[in-house]
Structures are given as structure tokens and as C-alpha cells.
């Protein structure tokens, strides 16, 4: 083994020795969530630390299901998140394409406004948005209210603008010379080239919709229209809190997302890197 290889191996070992404890610290709360989901409520706050799972997960899930119809709420969350992700990716890609490839009066101002909206706290627009959707449009307790208001994502627009501006303009000019219509260039030339960035954006938007709590809590008051995070919140009562049920629901919402991220992390990292470097 050469001295360079030995140095590289030594750096790798040191890096792993440094990162492994950090990874364990990050994973420990997730593991404790799994452990708590298998414990009865009266054992969760007992003295001492329990590091091994118990056998009460099914009981906690039955309490969760009977109190919230959690399976139905998960179905609503999945449907809303998938629909929102598909529509938002399409709309943000279209806006990014326009800002990256077209020149028009006021383009700089539009980009500046989009940048400015990122700095606004969500609470600033929450109440006006609620009044407009619930009172003016009378869309409370509907899927439209869950999906449409957050569709325009400023970060997604800027991300796709950066990704699409990196592509060679000659490629699109050649397609125009051949008589290809603009919408076909966008759908069948630009978007296939932007697959890694689209995958990364889709993961970000899906997780944002999946974990959204405040807006679904405000706009949907009927039990049959609750998303999964809101359904979990209903287990926190004034006199009783079903901690075991909450932990069981949190495990069911978290573990599938972790698995999806682990399986798709290659596409996620590639998309983020491709969209961040010009």
C-alpha cells in the first residue's frame, strides 16, 4: 500500500470515528420514539431509561385508530401529498422555465419579489390566506383548500430556474429551428434533462406536505377531513394524553419517509448538487 493510500485510509478512519457518534446522537431520539411506541402509557414516564422495545405497539395502535381513524387520515395525507407534489413540481418548473429562458419587461423585479417572499414568515400570510380561502371562497374542509394555496413554492421556482438556466441554450434553439413547439421543448427536452433536480424537488415538496400541520389544522375542522399530523394532535386532550398512541402514529409516519429517503438519497443528493452548481 502506497503512502498516499495509507493517508487516504487514515483520513477515512478518522472521519468515520468523528461522524459515527454524531450519527448515533441523531438516531437515538428516533430509536426512543420506536421504543415508546411499544410501551403502555404508564411506563413511558417511569423512572429509568428503557432501551429495548416492549410488546404494546398493537394496543397503542388500536387506541390510535379508535380515537382518530388514523388509517383514513394517512390515506388523506398520502393523496394530498402526492397531488400537491405533482402539481407543484409542474407549476414551479413552468415558472422556472419562464424565468430562465425568456426575457420580458420586469423580469428582475419578479425574481426579486420571489426572493423576498422567502424571507417572509409563514405566520404573516397565514391569517389573510385563511380568510380568503375559508370566508371568501368557502373552501374550508375541502381537498382544494389543502392543495391549492401552498402550490406556488418560491424555493422550488428559484431551484428550477437555476437548474434550467444551466442547460445549453443551443439545444433548445436547435429544437425551435426544427419547428418544435415551445410546450414540447419544455416537456420533452428540458424536463427529461432536469430529472435529478425534479426528483430532489419532488422529495422536498412531498415531505413538506406530509409534515404540514398548521394549515390543515386551521382549514379543516371536520374529523373526516383531517390529515395524519392533525389526527395525531387530537390525542392531546385537556385531561388525558395518549402518549403511546402518539408515538405509534409518529413511527408510522416517520419510518416510511426514512425508508423512501434512504432509497432515493442518491437522486436527492445528485439533484441538489446539480441545481446548486452553475
Amino acid at each position: 500500500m502506497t503512502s498516499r493510500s495509507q493517508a487516504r485510509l487514515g483520513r477515512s478512519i478518522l472521519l468515520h470515528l468523528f461522524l459515527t457518534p454524531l450519527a448515533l446522537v441523531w438516531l437515538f431520539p428516533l430509536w426512543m420514539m420506536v421504543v415508546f411506541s411499544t410501551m403502555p402509557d404508564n411506563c413511558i414516564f417511569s423512572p429509568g431509561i428503557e432501551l429495548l422495545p416492549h410488546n404494546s405497539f398493537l394496543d397503542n395502535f388500536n387506541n390510535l385508530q379508535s380515537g382518530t381513524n388514523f388509517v383514513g387520515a394517512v390515506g388523506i395525507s398520502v393523496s394530498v401529498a402526492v397531488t400537491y407534489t405533482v402539481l407543484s413540481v409542474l407549476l414551479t418548473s413552468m415558472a422556472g422555465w419562464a424565468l430562465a429562458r425568456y426575457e420580458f419587461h420586469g423580469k428582475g423585479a419578479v425574481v426579486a419579489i420571489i426572493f423576498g417572499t422567502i424571507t417572509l414568515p409563514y405566520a404573516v400570510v397565514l391569517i389573510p390566506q385563511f380568510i380568503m380561502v375559508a370566508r371568501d371562497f368557502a373552501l374550508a374542509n375541502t381537498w382544494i383548500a389543502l392543495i391549492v394555496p401552498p402550490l406556488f413554492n418560491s424555493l422550488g421556482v428559484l431551484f428550477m430556474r437555476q437548474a434550467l438556466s444551466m442547460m445549453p441554450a443551443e439545444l433548445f434553439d436547435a429544437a425551435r429551428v426544427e419547428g418544435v413547439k415551445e410546450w414540447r421543448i419544455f416537456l420533452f427536452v428540458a424536463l427529461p434533462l432536469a430529472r435529478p433536480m425534479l426528483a430532489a424537488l419532488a422529495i422536498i415538496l412531498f415531505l413538506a406536505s406530509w409534515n404540514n400541520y398548521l394549515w390543515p389544522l386551521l382549514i379543516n375542522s371536520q374529523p373526516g377531513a383531517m390529515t395524519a399530523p392533525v389526527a395525531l394532535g387530537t390525542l392531546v386532550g385537556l385531561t388525558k394524553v395518549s402518549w403511546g398512541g402518539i408515538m405509534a402514529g409518529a413511527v408510522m409516519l416517520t419510518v416510511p419517509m426514512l425508508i423512501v429517503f434512504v432509497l432515493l438519497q442518491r437522486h436527492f443528493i445528485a439533484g441538489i448538487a446539480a441545481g446548486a452548481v452553475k
Side-chain angles (χ1 to χ4, degrees):
M1 182 181 294
T2 64
S3 59
R4 181 175 297 180
S5 300
Q6 291 177 347
R8 187 182 299 113
L9 178 60
R11 287 195 298 268
S12 178
I13 293 174
L14 290 176
L15 182 62
H16 281 79
L17 289 176
F18 175 72
L19 292 179
T20 299
L22 294 179
L24 293 176
V25 170
W26 182 82
L27 290 173
F28 182 74
L30 296 178
W31 173 249
M32 292 307 301
M33 178 181 66
V34 175
V35 173
F36 289 154
S37 70
T38 64
M39 299 171 62
D41 287 345
N42 57 358
C43 294
I44 291 178
F45 294 102
S46 61
I49 300 178
E50 296 282 349
L51 298 178
L52 297 179
H54 290 221
N55 56 1
S56 297
F57 182 84
L58 291 179
D59 294 334
N60 291 332
F61 174 74
N62 290 332
N63 293 334
L64 172 67
Q65 178 64 21
S66 62
T68 64
N69 186 23
F70 189 70
V71 174
V74 169
I76 293 175
S77 288
V78 171
S79 301
V80 169
V82 170
T83 305
Y84 166 78
T85 301
V86 172
L87 294 178
S88 188
V89 166
L90 179 60
L91 290 177
T92 53
S93 299
M94 294 169 64
W97 171 260
L99 293 174
R101 292 300 172 185
Y102 298 146
E103 295 295 333
F104 53 88
H105 183 69
K107 176 180 175 179
V110 172
V111 175
I113 291 173
I114 295 175
F115 268 110
T117 59
I118 297 179
T119 65
L120 290 176
Y122 183 58
V124 173
V125 299
L126 182 62
I127 300 304
Q129 180 175 286
F130 173 79
I131 293 175
M132 180 177 64
V133 173
R135 185 191 66 184
D136 299 338
F137 295 156
L139 292 175
N141 298 307
T142 65
W143 281 28
I144 296 177
L146 290 174
I147 296 172
V148 174
L151 272 183
F152 182 81
N153 186 279
S154 301
L155 182 62
V157 172
L158 296 175
F159 181 76
M160 291 309 301
R161 170 179 173 266
Q162 175 69 16
L164 294 170
S165 64
M166 295 164 51
M167 299 177 183
E170 294 79 7
L171 180 65
F172 307 122
D173 293 337
R176 293 187 182 97
V177 170
E178 294 294 329
V180 181
K181 294 184 180 298
E182 200 68 23
W183 66 270
R184 293 182 64 88
I185 296 175
F186 171 69
L187 289 178
F188 300 112
V189 180
L191 291 188
L193 292 175
R195 276 197 301 266
M197 289 74 81
L198 291 174
L201 180 60
I203 294 173
I204 294 172
L205 294 177
F206 183 88
L207 291 178
S209 178
W210 182 260
N211 295 321
N212 193 8
Y213 176 77
L214 184 57
W215 176 247
L217 175 66
L218 289 177
I219 202 62
N220 281 351
S221 59
Q222 296 180 357
M226 289 182 178
T227 58
V230 177
L232 277 183
T234 61
L235 294 181
V236 180
L238 295 177
T239 58
K240 181 181 178 181
V241 180
S242 179
W243 293 111
I246 292 175
M247 292 296 103
V251 168
M252 295 182 62
L253 292 180
T254 303
V255 172
M257 294 300 101
L258 288 177
I259 294 174
V260 169
F261 180 78
V262 170
L263 294 177
L264 299 178
Q265 64 176 331
R266 178 170 59 88
H267 302 283
F268 179 77
I269 295 173
I272 292 294
V277 179
K278 184 174 181 179

